[in-house]
Amino acid sequence: MTTLQNDIFLKALRCEPVSRTPIWIMRQAGRYLPEYRATRAKAGDFMSLCKNTDFATEVTLQPLDRFDLDAAILFSDILTIPDALGLGLYFETGEGPKFKNPLTDARSIQNLPRIDVNTDLQYVMNAVSSIKKALNGRVPLIGFSGSPWTLACYMIQGEGSRDFAKVKKVMYGQPELMHQLLDFLSDIVSDYLLAQIEAGADAVQIFDTWGGLLSESAYRDFSLRSMERIIERIKPTGVPIIMFTKGAGSWMHLIKGSGADCVGLDWTMNLGRARDQLGDNIAVQGNLDPSFLLTDEEKIDEQVARILGENHGRPGHIFNLGHGITPQVNPELVKFLVDRVHDLSFLQES
Ligand code: CP3
């Protein structure tokens, strides 16, 4: 096994002291980079980019060649699982994801096929192995999956939505059916993350993008519970698990007991208070509103100082955005952010 040249990200996940704060950026490979747009044009469409090992490897490494990032993230998508389940994922230009065959009734849920992640999603494991090889120990590689709740949102709604009303109708109206779907997805997500770990992922993140749409009790029963099932299956590997629920600001007391090693924070909560509530053994990641990357160096500088200040030198802090980077961002400001986080945190530590 190649030893890592830069392991500050993994150290921070374990709440060990580091010489400077590690940083990576959610959706760091994406349309804000001209070289990403060029590779995507060669691939033809987004899913072909994900399914081609060489292209997926190339775009994963693009942001690392530009910026001094402390982790790479597998280039793929959370919707690979519903795609493998036969829902017919497609992307129309300029629009979000859509499904040809969304789940419409109990029968469509009960008839979902059993899949084997190592064959039906083999292209993802091929990408993980290829990226690990290309990284050659430069930085750790993050694998990921969507949370069962977030996957169920897209699978029932059939596309993105502001309120996911169709999904909530099933959840509140037929809670047992919803649990059946979530348990089914929890098993697949666990197998999927374990396969990514087997292929070389050094840490894994669960994206619960739509958990914040729920009431506290529904979050606990439908989203958090299924993520806890997954964490239980991953724990024995010793690979750190990051849990990111967007909009979870008031639920830190629930998340604290989930078994996650690190909690992703959006920008609505105060990082210092989240840390106080989570205790010393759980790391945190995130918190910068991605929209600051549309402003200027001075504003970004202020935010870096604010976030480092709220963390107050505690071990277990990973700098990141509170959600994915947007296509309009100027890459020069990303470079500024990454360097500023390193410089300012180094000064604070020494
Ligand atoms: O972080 C990374 O660099 C890894 C790549 C990654 C992508 N999607 C690539 C992508 C990751 C981690 C994801 C996760 C993902 N996908 C989530 C959870 C995180 C979040 O942002 O909330 C969700 C909800 C999805 C579903 C999805 N895939 C949407 C809503 C879209 C459209 C978004 C848009 O900006 O148009 C996608 C497509 C997608 N996934 C793109 C990328 C780079 C853009 C596709 C393109 O090139 O046109």
Side-chain angles (χ1 to χ4, degrees):
M1 228 174 81
T2 335
T3 44
L4 285 167
Q5 289 140 36
N6 171 355
D7 66 349
I8 60 173
F9 169 68
L10 294 179
K11 282 198 167 124
L13 283 175
R14 294 192 295 258
C15 292
E16 290 169 12
V18 284
S19 56
R20 56 180 204 180
T21 303
I23 174 169
W24 70 278
I25 290 173
M26 286 200 274
R27 295 270 189 104
Q28 61 195 23
R31 281 170 297 181
Y32 74 106
L33 292 176
E35 57 271 35
Y36 169 85
R37 296 197 297 270
T39 312
R40 189 183 181 285
K42 267 196 276 174
D45 61 74
F46 173 67
M47 283 312 282
S48 309
L49 187 55
C50 295
K51 289 183 179 176
N52 179 302
T53 311
D54 293 338
F55 286 149
T57 306
E58 186 179 311
V59 294
T60 301
L61 268 70
Q62 284 170 348
L64 297 161
D65 291 339
R66 262 192 194 249
F67 317 119
D68 190 14
L69 295 160
D70 298 296
I73 179 160
L74 159 71
F75 189 82
S76 190
D77 198 81
I78 64 163
L79 301 176
T80 50
I81 289 179
D83 184 50
L85 287 167
L87 271 68
L89 172 67
Y90 67 101
F91 286 86
E92 262 167 21
T93 337
E95 283 180 56
K98 288 198 173 140
F99 289 103
K100 284 195 198 91
N101 320 305
L103 302 175
T104 48
D105 52 17
R107 189 186 298 192
S108 59
I109 292 177
Q110 281 143 6
N111 285 348
L112 281 167
R114 304 249 143 233
I115 56 166
D116 172 15
V117 293
N118 277 312
T119 48
D120 298 301
L121 289 162
Q122 193 186 15
Y123 68 92
V124 178
M125 311 320 149
N126 291 345
V128 172
S129 321
S130 159
I131 295 162
K132 271 299 275 189
K133 208 165 146 211
L135 283 171
N136 195 22
R138 244 163 104 179
V139 288
L141 175 63
I142 306 166
F144 71 90
S145 172
S147 72
W149 163 253
T150 293
L151 294 178
C153 280
Y154 287 102
M155 291 169 74
I156 295 175
Q157 197 76 31
E159 60 188 335
S161 161
R162 207 172 307 161
D163 54 8
F164 287 96
K166 282 187 192 167
V167 190
K168 286 188 168 178
K169 186 179 165 202
V170 178
M171 179 185 68
Y172 291 131
Q174 298 165 276
E176 279 173 18
L177 182 64
M178 188 55 125
H179 277 306
Q180 210 181 327
L181 174 60
L182 293 171
D183 289 352
F184 173 83
L185 289 172
S186 301
D187 290 342
I188 298 179
V189 170
S190 306
D191 292 346
Y192 187 49
L193 291 175
L194 287 169
Q196 291 180 32
I197 291 168
E198 184 75 21
D202 301 289
V204 291
Q205 174 154 329
I206 306 174
F207 285 91
D208 186 31
T209 307
W210 302 119
L213 295 178
L214 296 169
S215 67
E216 179 172 305
S217 67
Y219 174 68
R220 198 188 50 220
D221 295 346
F222 292 91
S223 178
L224 188 59
R225 180 177 161 277
S226 50
M227 291 194 283
E228 285 172 349
R229 270 176 68 125
I230 297 163
I231 293 172
E232 247 178 63
R233 292 260 324 267
I234 310 289
K235 268 282 155 181
T237 64
V239 166
I241 306 157
I242 307 165
M243 198 177 98
F244 171 58
T245 295
K246 186 161 171 283
S250 55
W251 303 329
M252 290 299 131
H253 60 294
L254 297 177
I255 291 175
K256 186 177 179 178
S258 66
D261 300 281
C262 176
V263 175
L265 307 176
D266 65 25
W267 59 89
T268 61
M269 59 259 248
N270 175 291
L271 182 137
R273 199 177 324 124
R275 296 221 69 174
D276 291 343
Q277 291 172 353
L278 290 168
D280 294 336
N281 300 322
I282 300 179
V284 295
Q285 166 184 285
N287 203 226
L288 177 63
D289 188 335
S291 301
F292 273 104
L293 287 174
L294 302 173
T295 64
D296 53 48
E297 294 188 353
E298 201 182 317
K299 299 283 187 312
I300 293 169
D301 196 31
E302 279 168 21
Q303 289 302 310
V304 171
R306 173 189 67 80
I307 290 174
L308 291 175
E310 281 175 18
N311 184 60
H312 211 69
R314 285 175 273 198
H317 178 217
I318 295 149
F319 211 101
N320 204 321
L321 308 181
H323 199 196
I325 191 167
T326 53
Q328 304 78 18
V329 167
N330 173 359
E332 286 306 312
L333 287 179
V334 177
K335 182 175 177 3
F336 177 82
L337 169 71
V338 173
D339 292 342
R340 200 63 195 133
V341 167
H342 284 152
D343 291 348
L344 205 59
S345 60
F346 179 76
L347 287 174
Q348 287 189 351
E349 290 302 317
S350 47

